[in-house]
Amino acid sequence: MATRTLGGRYQLVKRIGVGGMSEVWHGHDEVLDRPVAVKVMAPHQATTVDIVRREARSAARLAHPNVAGVHDFGTSANQPYIVMELVEGRTLGQHLAGGPLDWRIGVRICAEVAAALAAAHGENVVHRDIKPGNIMLTPSGAKVLDFGIAAAIGTADDDPDGPVMGTPAYVAPERFAGHPATAATDMFAVGTLLYQCLSGRLPWLRATPTELVHAECHDDPDPLPEIDGMPGEVIDMMSRCLAKDPLERPTAMVAALLLAEAVDARVYVPMTDFEPAVAPTTSWVDEPTSASQAGRHRA
């Protein structure tokens, strides 16, 4: 980069993350004298300014304690960047590398994630990539990160014949049949996340992506190990989130409130509940069956 200060105010102090499409820097806002995180798109990416601006706008509309806030958007040398709340801690993925969590901790984390999604869905935004690596655990609670592939609820994919946006193990079955992302697709990811917190593994363990997608679309989740003291309502909520039919999944608000009650925790959710996703007009249960269909995903 030609300069280490963006927009005349954001000094890049230390690089704290590198991905295929972007770098994240620990930065300093020289105008407001506060630490920030700055996500800068990699120069070799063909990412358009409009796509990154859409990400910034999606997250900036969400004023919620369990969502990492967005402060600003800009470009430097034709590279778009987003200035965000600096969230310090470890990701849920890093914690799960050591095995399953205490069930009370796992349930509370998922209650907070569901509360964040209730706020997003209330703004007509679906995240589309809920997974352990996008959940930061902080002393004040869980924070949902990276609205990079967020979209308006029900919006068709930019490339219907291209890869399904998201991480395969957390993508809802109807998405592999080409249906748009809805609030219910985020809830399937919450169910997968809860299962993983409680067991230390995914609901389906398969050798290849094709086999994994087939299992998600057709097979029941592997049974959870018995967990002493955990209310049956938690298992029921997890099972409902993992339902093949999106209409059977709970709303984010319902999931947040029930899970929080199970561990005597408090979460902030909007006051109005939201209807579940509109039922697909065509059957997806028997799809996909081929490797080419199962391959429609983004790692």
Side-chain angles (χ1 to χ4, degrees):
M1 297 180 60
T3 177
R4 295 184 65 84
T5 299
L6 305 181
R9 65 184 288 184
Y10 303 114
Q11 184 182 16
L12 303 184
V13 179
K14 180 176 65 174
R15 190 166 60 184
I16 55 178
V18 181
M21 298 180 63
S22 64
E23 298 178 343
V24 180
W25 289 75
H26 182 152
H28 182 76
D29 182 347
E30 296 177 334
V31 173
L32 296 180
D33 190 24
R34 64 177 175 179
V36 292
V38 185
K39 179 178 179 179
V40 185
M41 303 313 297
H44 64 276
Q45 286 294 327
T47 304
T48 67
V49 172
D50 287 343
I51 291 175
V52 183
R53 184 185 290 113
R54 183 177 67 187
E55 171 187 355
R57 286 177 172 172
S58 294
R61 294 205 302 268
L62 308 178
H64 192 276
N66 298 118
V67 176
V70 166
H71 302 318
D72 199 2
F73 164 85
T75 60
S76 176
N78 295 320
Q79 285 180 257
Y81 63 87
I82 301 174
V83 182
M84 304 173 289
E85 171 189 358
L86 181 65
V87 180
E88 307 213 56
R90 299 174 67 202
T91 67
L92 177 57
Q94 290 172 313
H95 283 274
L96 287 172
L101 306 180
D102 178 275
W103 72 264
R104 296 167 188 82
I105 296 174
V107 169
R108 179 170 185 149
I109 290 168
C110 290
E112 293 174 341
V113 171
L117 290 174
H121 298 164
E123 293 291 338
N124 202 42
V125 172
V126 60
H127 188 284
R128 299 201 297 183
D129 201 19
I130 293 295
K131 61 182 179 181
N134 282 339
I135 310 298
M136 187 73 80
L137 303 186
T138 76
S140 61
K143 292 270 191 178
V144 176
L145 310 176
D146 200 353
F147 280 76
I149 63 170
I153 290 175
T155 301
D157 291 342
D158 293 334
D159 181 4
D161 298 320
V164 173
M165 301 302 287
T167 303
Y170 305 87
V171 173
E174 66 272 14
R175 295 284 289 132
F176 294 109
H179 295 289
T182 65
T185 63
D186 274 348
M187 297 314 297
F188 183 88
V190 171
T192 305
L193 204 67
L194 180 55
Y195 186 106
Q196 197 171 3
C197 287
L198 298 175
S199 68
R201 47 156 289 183
L202 293 169
W204 297 272
L205 294 180
R206 300 295 186 268
T208 68
T210 299
E211 292 174 355
L212 174 63
V213 170
H214 186 275
E216 289 177 353
C217 293
H218 299 283
D219 299 343
D220 291 333
D222 295 336
L224 270 177
E226 198 155 324
I227 301 173
D228 290 340
M230 188 171 69
E233 291 83 359
V234 172
I235 300 296
D236 178 66
M237 178 57 62
M238 182 193 70
S239 298
R240 290 172 60 196
C241 287
L242 291 175
K244 310 297 185 192
D245 184 348
L247 287 178
E248 295 181 9
R249 298 175 203 145
T251 63
M253 179 182 181
V254 168
L257 293 176
L258 188 145
L259 293 175
E261 183 180 9
V263 292
D264 196 24
R266 293 184 179 181
V267 291
Y268 174 74
V269 294
M271 295 300 294
T272 303
D273 203 353
F274 306 101
E275 293 298 322
V278 175
T281 56
T282 58
S283 173
W284 54 267
V285 174
D286 293 327
E287 301 287 349
T289 57
S290 69
S292 62
Q293 290 170 306
R296 293 184 68 237
H297 61 76
R298 181 178 70 87

